[in-house]
Amino acid sequence: MDLVNLINLGGPLNWLLFFLLCFCFCQCVERGLYLFQTRRGAKGDVVARYRRACSELDDAEQEYEALYFEMNRGLWLLNFISAAAPSVGLLGTVTGLISAFQGMAAAGAQVGMQDLSGGIWEAMLTTAFGMIISIPALFFYRFFRRIIEKRLFAMDRCGRTAEK
């Protein structure tokens, strides 16, 4: 079974989840590359940039704020996806079960497994797909936030030593 058929089996909400997955993947790659390129010892090291601003007696507070926003750029999207994907998956569960019950009602007393299986299949696929997207999005959001917190701590330490 290929990906397009699997998404189609989960119903239209699976396409929304697929687009959330694409945004999540792009954001993880972009932030990962940014944080790798600005790590300590690298050419774009953010802690070194802040240390230079402190030593040159520039407005270090403005540099700190600029670096803070630069490091956090786009992380809201990962946070949003980690919260929204399970909700969209649950919405797909509800719509799938409604579809299954409509099939039961239409079949009347002659309800067979075929009448139920399509809606239940849709319900389970959207739930699983929502969780498959949400868990990595939350992991990478927290992973990137931890790296940023460590860098901010190092910048604070640099700022305090430059003031003395």
Side-chain angles (χ1 to χ4, degrees):
M1 183 176 298
D2 63 2
L3 181 64
V4 173
N5 286 336
L6 189 63
I7 293 171
N8 282 333
L9 286 173
L13 289 174
N14 253 11
W15 282 104
L16 175 60
L17 288 168
F18 177 74
F19 289 120
L20 286 176
L21 175 64
C22 292
F23 285 127
C24 180
F25 178 76
C26 291
Q27 188 60 37
C28 286
V29 169
E30 189 274 332
R31 283 291 88 189
L33 287 173
Y34 168 79
L35 291 172
F36 179 76
Q37 291 171 344
T38 59
R39 70 194 182 284
R40 283 193 149 177
K43 188 175 180 180
D45 184 349
V46 293
V47 176
R49 280 174 51 191
Y50 182 69
R51 188 175 293 138
R52 279 192 302 274
C54 288
S55 67
E56 295 170 2
L57 297 176
D58 287 344
D59 193 352
E61 188 174 325
Q62 279 187 337
E63 183 69 16
Y64 182 90
E65 289 175 4
L67 288 171
Y68 175 83
F69 287 111
E70 181 181 310
M71 288 187 287
N72 281 291
R73 185 181 66 234
L75 283 185
W76 68 269
L77 185 60
L78 288 178
N79 193 24
F80 172 77
I81 290 171
S82 71
S87 298
V88 173
L90 287 174
L91 180 59
T93 300
V94 170
T95 59
L97 290 176
I98 289 171
S99 168
F101 287 125
Q102 283 177 335
M104 285 174 55
Q110 304 297 329
V111 176
M113 278 307 278
Q114 293 84 6
D115 299 323
L116 298 174
S117 62
I120 293 173
W121 177 251
E122 179 182 329
M124 294 299 105
L125 275 178
T126 54
T127 303
F129 209 43
M131 298 308 286
I132 288 169
I133 295 166
S134 175
I135 293 168
L138 183 60
F139 171 79
F140 281 106
Y141 172 74
R142 292 199 176 160
F143 177 72
F144 294 148
R145 286 293 304 152
R146 181 67 181 140
I147 292 171
I148 292 167
E149 286 171 6
K150 286 181 179 180
R151 290 180 180 186
L152 292 174
F153 178 74
M155 288 166 54
D156 282 340
R157 226 177 12 186
C158 291
R160 277 187 252 126
T161 57
E163 290 174 358
K164 291 180 181 181

